[in-house]
Amino acid sequence: ESTKTEELRELSDEERKTIVTSHTFANFVDTSSKIVERALHETYDFMKDYTIGAEV
Amino acid sequence: TMSDVDETIKRLSTRKGVEGIVILNDEGLTIRSTLDADLTKKYATYVYPLVGKSRTSVSEIDPENELTFLRIRTKKHELMISPDKEYTMIVVQNHHE
């Protein structure tokens, strides 16, 4: 009966534990972290010396 | 195992420039976060909707395409967002030296 406009509920510790110990979650964290690690390695700041939309 | 997951999160959080990692479920609720509660809630509230919107936009433009990754660059940070059917990982990186 609660409306969607109410604040997001929170997961209980038990719900979190169920998720965190699941295989699908472990695979997701493993794969995503590898992808993110590659993205983190890119250090070239393509915006350097240019700012679009920010204050002059 | 849970410890593998937490170890991976911990290792990722020590990477240069990484300020935080937030992992959400398919409702945008927080499963794990390395940020404080207030900041975590902000990311869940304001970044999570962008994922669904991006996903829809991509498939509306071309039904055979799909969102694979989302990067949002700001003055201070870069958000790296890895979306999945069930989970979303948000990594906040400070991209300055």
Side-chain angles (χ1 to χ4, degrees):
Chain A
E1 315 115 41
S2 62
T3 65
K4 296 274 177 176
T5 55
E6 284 172 21
E7 279 198 14
L8 291 174
R9 67 178 182 90
E10 288 203 16
L11 292 174
S12 66
D13 285 344
E14 224 179 271
E15 283 172 303
R16 283 202 187 103
K17 187 173 177 192
T18 304
I19 292 167
V20 169
T21 52
S22 74
H23 265 90
T24 49
F25 187 72
N27 289 339
F28 166 75
V29 170
D30 188 50
T31 301
S32 293
S33 64
K34 283 172 180 161
I35 294 168
V36 167
E37 290 234 25
R38 288 184 195 156
L40 286 170
H41 268 135
E42 294 174 21
T43 54
Y44 175 58
D45 185 352
F46 60 88
M47 290 287 293
K48 191 175 170 176
D49 295 333
Y50 297 96
T51 50
I52 300 171
E55 54 178 271
V56 169
Chain B
T1 66
M2 180 169 78
S3 61
D4 281 347
V5 161
D6 285 324
E7 272 204 32
T8 301
I9 293 170
K10 190 173 167 195
R11 192 180 62 237
L12 197 54
S13 70
T14 62
R15 289 286 181 257
K16 184 179 168 201
V18 173
E19 290 194 358
I21 300 166
V22 178
I23 304 178
L24 309 172
N25 74 352
D26 61 359
E27 293 176 84
L29 303 180
T30 306
I31 300 169
R32 276 287 189 270
S33 175
T34 64
L35 295 168
D36 68 51
D38 283 343
L39 200 45
T40 299
K41 194 162 181 190
K42 282 183 177 173
Y43 278 106
T45 303
Y46 296 109
V47 174
Y48 182 69
L50 302 177
V51 179
K53 182 68 178 171
S54 303
R55 207 181 247 138
T56 305
S57 299
V58 169
S59 59
E60 285 294 321
I61 291 169
D62 177 357
E64 287 176 21
N65 202 0
E66 59 181 278
L67 180 70
T68 55
F69 203 80
L70 187 58
R71 298 174 82 154
I72 299 174
R73 199 169 182 89
T74 69
K75 192 169 70 174
K76 294 183 183 180
H77 302 115
E78 175 146 327
L79 305 186
M80 276 161 291
I81 303 159
S82 181
D84 170 91
K85 207 162 44 177
E86 295 179 68
Y87 312 109
T88 299
M89 179 187 282
I90 302 167
V91 176
V92 183
Q93 183 198 30
N94 177 336
H95 56 77
H96 300 285
E97 275 348 83

